[in-house]
Amino acid sequence: MLLFQLPEDVLFHILSYLDFRSLGRLSQACRAMCRFVNRDTVWRKIAKALLNTGITGNGTDIYPHIPLKDRVKIALNWREGSCKRAALLKWKTKLLPWLQLEGNVLFLAQDATIGAYHVHKDSGRLQRCPFQIYSGHSGDVCRFVLTDSYLISGGSDGKILVQSRTRNMLMMLSGHNQEVNCLDSKDVLIISGSRDRTARIWTLNSSFPRDTIPMYDRVWSVTISPSLSSFVTGTACCENFSPLRIWDVERLQCVCSLGSEFRRGAGVLDMVFESPFQLLTCGYDTFIRLWDLRLNPRKCVLEWEEPHDSALYCMQTDGSHMIASGSSYYGVVRLWDKRQTECLQFFQLSSDLVSSPVYCLRFNCSHLYAALATSLHALDFRQSPNHVR
């Protein structure tokens, strides 16, 4: 009882010296202590040091609706690779599927359509049938992105479709004459890249491209900076220049090229901004690279190599310490801690007889979803190894 006569800020300071095991045991001392220890403020310091707790590098909380103590339990499973595996969907024809995960809805591109599936809150599994289907392409959907109001997709037919997520509305953007390999959208801006060796800039109020940039190489990936002032293109690296280039949105000028020692054919397949100044990239050269865009010259400050010399098709970051990547062979998903050089955990999702790349992966606090050529897999990390009770 004397402990609770201390001011709360003093008690918080005392508890900040305890690890997660000690906090878990302390919460069992009495009901009053349990209520106090279960506050998010008590667990925030521990959560910031663990993987995928939703606390990003700038302090933003991605999952404020989930108690931090519960997220710490799950984060320990991510670190140790403790999870249940399940194949959620299977199909007979080999595809190049793409995913987006938003709240309790998973969007999956298969052939020329995109299905929206409700994710069961308790199990992480999908409803049997999609509650909404987006169609309109005459070829396979290569990439799609979500905004607050729209689903924007690029297809092998060279078309970009802008579809309302709430109403039956469709706008077609025509300009590319070969498949649209990649696209990104922020605010009213859309950037697309194509096998036709061009990158195009669009706005949501026009069906014609605002600008076209000759790239002289196939464009595999694009991403728009959070500042909206620039975007980055990743090409196939079949010409004599860096596959990574930063472009000014308004002036359409190449601001700079990133790196100078890429092997021929070492194309960049995926990239993501962690902040306006930090860019993560991966591709055929088997490396994940972190670029610091504040430096002059801008350069790679950290890199992680896929140990089996496999191309890296996709990746996602938790905005803090963790990166998940998908390899080109045997459906291998790897978890990386950016504070370490070696891979933290890996999971092989396809058999030795049927090898498939991981074409796309997405994760939230408790589940990771990976799309392979003929199946969609889920890893459920909510199993507790009894670190915190």
Side-chain angles (χ1 to χ4, degrees), residues 139-350:
D140 290 348
V141 174
C142 300
R143 290 288 188 275
F144 69 92
V145 295
L146 301 172
T147 69
D148 292 340
S149 303
Y150 301 102
L151 185 149
I152 305 169
S153 57
S156 60
D157 54 6
K159 302 294 189 294
I160 298 173
L161 301 184
V162 181
Q163 304 186 60
S164 171
R165 296 176 59 178
T166 56
R167 302 185 304 276
N168 186 20
M169 186 190 78
L170 175 68
M171 180 170 68
M172 181 180 294
L173 311 182
S174 301
H176 291 293
N177 54 39
Q178 293 188 47
E179 65 187 58
V180 179
N181 293 320
C182 52
L183 55 83
D184 194 14
S185 178
K186 287 183 175 63
D187 199 18
V188 297
L189 188 68
I190 302 172
I191 308 290
S192 62
S194 171
R195 184 180 285 271
D196 66 8
R197 302 188 173 198
T198 65
R200 298 179 187 264
I201 302 176
W202 317 74
T203 56
L204 286 173
N205 55 12
S206 174
S207 59
F208 297 98
R210 193 196 80 182
D211 296 291
T212 299
I213 303 175
M215 299 297 296
Y216 309 106
D217 202 354
R218 290 167 293 175
V219 185
W220 289 138
S221 54
V222 297
T223 185
I224 302 172
S225 167
S227 67
L228 303 180
S229 62
S230 62
F231 65 94
V232 186
T233 57
T235 59
C237 200
C238 293
E239 303 298 332
N240 295 321
F241 48 75
S242 169
L244 274 171
R245 286 179 285 175
I246 302 177
W247 303 84
D248 186 281
V249 169
E250 297 301 326
R251 294 180 296 158
L252 303 182
Q253 294 179 349
C254 179
V255 176
C256 72
S257 297
L258 299 179
S260 58
E261 298 180 357
F262 288 92
R263 301 193 309 268
R264 185 176 178 83
V268 178
L269 296 176
D270 200 7
M271 58 177 74
V272 60
F273 273 100
E274 276 203 317
S275 74
F277 309 106
Q278 291 182 308
L279 176 70
L280 283 164
T281 64
C282 68
Y284 283 118
D285 69 349
T286 75
F287 280 90
I288 300 172
R289 290 187 170 90
L290 175 63
W291 305 85
D292 192 330
L293 307 184
R294 294 168 294 188
L295 301 177
N296 189 15
R298 300 168 176 88
K299 63 180 182 180
C300 174
V301 292
L302 289 171
E303 61 183 23
W304 302 268
E305 184 178 11
E306 214 288 334
H308 290 163
D309 199 32
S310 299
L312 296 174
Y313 274 47
C314 58
M315 64 179 173
Q316 187 183 350
T317 172
D318 68 348
S320 183
H321 302 303
M322 191 181 84
I323 304 170
S325 65
S327 301
S328 58
Y329 295 115
Y330 303 112
V332 170
V333 171
R334 295 188 185 274
L335 303 183
W336 308 81
D337 187 331
K338 291 196 296 186
R339 297 163 293 188
Q340 304 175 17
T341 57
E342 302 296 327
C343 168
L344 183 67
Q345 299 291 342
F346 85 97
F347 311 89
Q348 182 178 322
L349 301 181
S350 65

